[in-house]
Amino acid sequence: MATSSDRNPPPFPATDEPKPGLSDLLDGDSDEGDDIFVSNRTNPVSVSRGVSQPERVREEPGDLFSQEEAGPNTAKSNGVNSDDDNDLFAEAQSDLSSNTPSSAARPDISTSSGPRPASSFPQNPAAMQHTSLEQLEEEEAKDSFDVDVAVTNPEKVGDGMNAYVAYKVFTRSSLPIFKSKAFSVRRRFSDFLGLYEKLSAKQTLHGCIIPPPPEKSVVGMTKVKVGMDDPSSLEFVERRRAALERYLQRVVSHPSLLQDPDVREFLERDDLPRAVNTQTLSGAGFLKMINRASDAVNKMTIKMNESDTWFEDKLQEVEAEEQQLRKLHAVVDSLVNHRKELCGNTAIFAKSMAMLGNSEDNTALSRALSQLAEVEDKMEQLHQEQAASDFFILAELLADYIRLLGAVRGCLDQRMRAWQRWQEAQSTLQKKREAEAKLLWANKPDKLQQAKDEITEWETKVTQYERDFDRIGMSVRKEFLRFEKEKAKDFKSQIIKYLEAMMQSQQRFIKFWEAFLPEAKAIA
Amino acid sequence: MMEEVKGASSFLSVQVHNIKVTEVLQDGDSLTFIIVSQKMSGTGEFHVDRTYEDFEWLQQHLFSQEDVPGIQGVIFPPLPARLQVNASSKTLRHLGFLGLGEWQPYCKALETFLRQVAAHSILSKNRAVEIFLTSSDPPGRQKVKKNIFNRLSQAVEEMRKEGHKDVDDFFQTKRDHNFLLTGYTKMAAEKFLDVVLTEQKIAVACGHFSTALHLCMEQGENPEKQDFSQVCVKLSEVFNSIKKSMTSTAMNDMNTLGLGLDLETRYQEAEKEMLFRRTCKLVELQNATKNAEKAKPVKKAVMEEAKKATETEFRQICEVAKKEIIQLESKHVETLQQALVQWCEKQLLTAKESAEVYSQHLQTFKRMQ
């Protein structure tokens, strides 16, 4: 299937302008832009995919990457390879320089706004000789984060109301936990939701911030089921594709989640059993679910006596931050709408100038006015790109973090539930002891043994649950630290993308004005 | 209309090309405009304050010069509509670009009006112009007698005359062309106004975003939170810059091409009115001719006299009109060219400045990593 038409967010009409200078501004992303998108002016799309790449490269200047070797070879060997996979690496190959193959090879796939832990990649043999054992060990430890995922090629499968969109999930990793170095599978939206369901069920007592999936949308999907050709459907699919990619990247960059077999199965297994339990995420949406759970926790009869105010403070901070992000998101939303309005108005103005130019007698003036109309048409395209940039970078970033903060609250709730379980076990133990005392007094030796056994059982449970509670507390603290770090990094890299796109637009504005000025002067 | 001998109009004691409307003072609901002009002889300035009624007084005097031959063939410099203080957005919309931005475009339009009037070879002879520009007392506020120019909205029967076939190819062509051009220019001005208003909305939204981001800054001492707070602060600065850039862009649009299109629109309406007056006179002449032919011998002489008078009037009007049209056409090209060049230069400057600022922001963020 043609990648280009799917990859481009719909607001962009096809353009014949070559993508100017993107490679000058973004070291990592130039290839990505050329690789995957035939129509090359897709800044926001490439942006939505590639974020922290340049940042990563700078963090490990000494590392070399063996991907260029791994790529095509392993791509061929695992049999999952299709032409698309080769395309992803093609540019990487040709752009390799001896010094920093990383910057060329790395960005091919994944790189959307998911948080990226600092990590390095396995060294190629030549570089090995130069590393100390120490460095090797350090890199061993970081190896576990060597996973890139990309979600591409949305394809409509089936017809009518039973139709759905299947996405290609492409993974590249040198980790031994995977069967091969690079592989891809096809997944549909409910599969992603199913993965989330499984993870949250398993992780409830681990104090983990589980990345939330994108929300279901009946309206959006219905339009797509009917036909995928109109701009709003295309925009919806692209938005979802980008969101799914960021979701997966967040999942695989979380050290404990990556170890989860469900995650591996999701990435690797060719035919995944259909997820049927996605009802909880239907209609009401993810945040509503979290809110309901929070309410349940708040209604707990036994109030927790916090010796450590850290957790209370954090909850308040998280709630306040969520409100702030919502406000920000609303403002960005209105900004996006105004920009789209500007596109429309600019196009109409361009037409009116064209008509004015046509009816003008004076030839030089007529030509200048017609050229002005053309300039305004080009401006309209720039405004559209800016609107998409506002949306796909800023608005989606804020939306992601609003949902992520919901997941953070969910994590705090996990700790509360662990506490609750411990408390309940303690009260059960107390009851068992009282029962034993009663039996002693009533002198029923046969039941006494059973009572004693139960007491032992519950004593064990109380000890275990207390330890669980402590452990989860530590885990939550660690997760918070990690979350804050990732959040700052994420925002920084997204903002850099945004600024770079804006710089690009600005340069093109300048070019348009410079081209028009002599025309205007030539009138008299 | 525009025989612009720079500053050397022999009928006025002021230089024409640098008449300025320097200030506008508000007193409740009324506005007073300060007009400064340079004396022709020696140094020194005239400072006068005028209200909109005074402008109308001037305009009425210019309209009512019935003894000036061919006066109806003059394309009168268009006076901007009255500016209402505390007007609703609907009434402001009626003014188009002149209703924007703190009255500066409006003052500029008044200024242009005065300069055009003072530079006009026929109009500047009128005493009212000299009085208006130089008298420290407000010019007479009494209503001038009604004249044919007063009605701008035309009665139904008059409308039929608008389509009346002309006897002269030159004028028929001009009328047809004016009809087209008026419509297109008006539309272009309206659509451009829409663009500018949206740009202003974007600037406001960026300002909101910048403010909201600033509020996100957290006071906590957590090192991990500080990183994010810094990001918010810097992003807030970015959007403040974007807001400034957008505001400048909108201002540039307004002050150059916006004003230019607005002036063009009003001038074409003025030309339309002149052509219509001429057409009316043509109809009058044709009727007078018919009447003279059909007149009974008793009345014939009188009718012939009337016809001759009308003929003379019509001829004078056509003479003046032709000159005015040719001058307007060259002025029209000049106006638009100036507007386009200024517009382009200002936007180019703004774009370059913005690029520089954005580049610095980008560097700041890259250093933050």
Side-chain angles (χ1 to χ4, degrees), chain A residues 245-465:
Chain A
E245 192 174 84
R246 294 194 301 274
Y247 165 62
L248 276 187
Q249 284 173 343
R250 289 194 174 106
V251 167
V252 300
S253 51
H254 192 299
S256 3
L257 291 181
L258 184 59
Q259 303 300 324
D260 192 310
D262 278 326
V263 172
R264 286 209 300 283
E265 188 183 63
F266 180 89
L267 293 175
E268 275 186 323
R269 189 164 162 180
D270 274 327
D271 52 352
L272 201 65
R274 266 204 67 184
V276 292
N277 255 356
T278 60
Q279 288 313 302
T280 50
L281 290 170
S282 73
F286 170 78
L287 274 177
K288 221 167 167 180
M289 176 186 83
I290 289 284
N291 287 337
R292 261 189 259 128
S294 290
D295 288 340
V297 168
N298 288 339
K299 289 193 180 88
M300 266 172 21
T301 45
I302 318 164
K303 268 301 173 192
M304 190 162 175
N305 190 5
E306 284 280 15
S307 51
D308 186 355
T309 53
W310 190 91
F311 292 96
E312 261 170 27
D313 292 342
K314 282 301 165 193
L315 180 61
Q316 280 175 352
E317 276 174 23
V318 166
E319 285 173 343
E321 190 168 352
E322 200 179 313
Q323 290 314 310
Q324 285 170 339
L325 288 186
R326 280 183 193 281
K327 255 187 262 169
L328 290 176
H329 186 264
V331 177
V332 173
D333 232 2
S334 100
L335 176 63
V336 170
N337 286 339
H338 290 322
R339 282 226 205 259
K340 288 189 175 166
E341 198 186 321
L342 184 60
C343 289
N345 289 343
T346 307
I348 295 175
F349 173 61
K351 280 202 190 68
S352 73
M353 283 314 263
M355 292 210 286
L356 190 58
N358 280 343
S359 57
E360 176 57 53
D361 278 341
N362 183 300
T363 0
L365 182 56
S366 171
R367 196 179 59 232
L369 290 176
S370 303
Q371 248 140 11
L372 172 56
E374 277 177 31
V375 167
E376 287 292 316
D377 266 332
K378 291 187 190 150
M379 303 281 199
E380 187 218 342
Q381 280 180 0
L382 284 183
H383 293 318
Q384 274 198 345
E385 283 175 28
Q386 190 62 51
S389 183
D390 288 344
F391 179 73
F392 280 103
I393 307 179
L394 286 184
E396 290 284 81
L397 173 69
L398 291 168
D400 275 359
Y401 272 89
I402 291 170
R403 289 212 312 285
L404 271 166
L405 285 175
V408 170
R409 274 194 286 134
C411 173
L412 286 169
D413 287 345
Q414 290 171 25
R415 178 174 168 274
M416 288 302 265
R417 278 196 290 277
W419 182 82
Q420 198 177 12
R421 191 171 71 153
W422 173 34
Q423 295 303 307
E424 282 167 4
Q426 274 187 324
S427 94
T428 309
L429 176 62
Q430 182 64 17
K431 287 201 193 88
K432 298 290 177 193
R433 285 196 173 132
E434 285 167 6
E436 185 205 30
K438 277 206 198 103
L439 287 174
L440 271 174
W441 192 82
N443 202 10
K444 293 197 181 138
D446 46 335
K447 291 211 173 129
L448 202 58
Q449 186 54 44
Q450 184 189 352
K452 281 200 193 297
D453 287 341
E454 284 180 357
I455 287 174
T456 315
E457 177 195 346
W458 279 96
E459 276 173 347
T460 318
K461 280 194 180 163
V462 165
T463 317
Q464 186 199 328
Y465 291 169

Side-chain angles (χ1 to χ4, degrees), chain A residues 168-187:
Chain A
K168 181 164 102 171
V169 176
F170 178 87
T171 314
R172 188 178 53 179
S173 169
S174 56
L175 291 182
I177 55 172
F178 294 112
K179 297 196 193 93
S180 48
K181 298 261 190 240
F183 47 90
S184 73
V185 292
R186 295 199 75 76
R187 294 282 179 260

Side-chain angles (χ1 to χ4, degrees), chain B residues 233-248:
Chain B
V233 168
K234 291 297 171 200
L235 188 60
S236 169
E237 287 169 16
V238 167
F239 270 86
N240 201 31
S241 301
I242 299 178
K243 171 186 156 191
K244 286 196 188 134
S245 172
M246 251 314 171
T247 308
S248 288

Side-chain angles (χ1 to χ4, degrees), chain B residues 235-266:
Chain B
L235 188 60
S236 169
E237 287 169 16
V238 167
F239 270 86
N240 201 31
S241 301
I242 299 178
K243 171 186 156 191
K244 286 196 188 134
S245 172
M246 251 314 171
T247 308
S248 288
T249 305
M251 289 271 295
N252 295 343
D253 283 341
M254 232 164 52
N255 293 333
T256 58
L257 188 57
L259 276 183
L261 286 173
D262 168 82
L263 185 64
E264 276 298 297
T265 310
R266 289 186 292 118

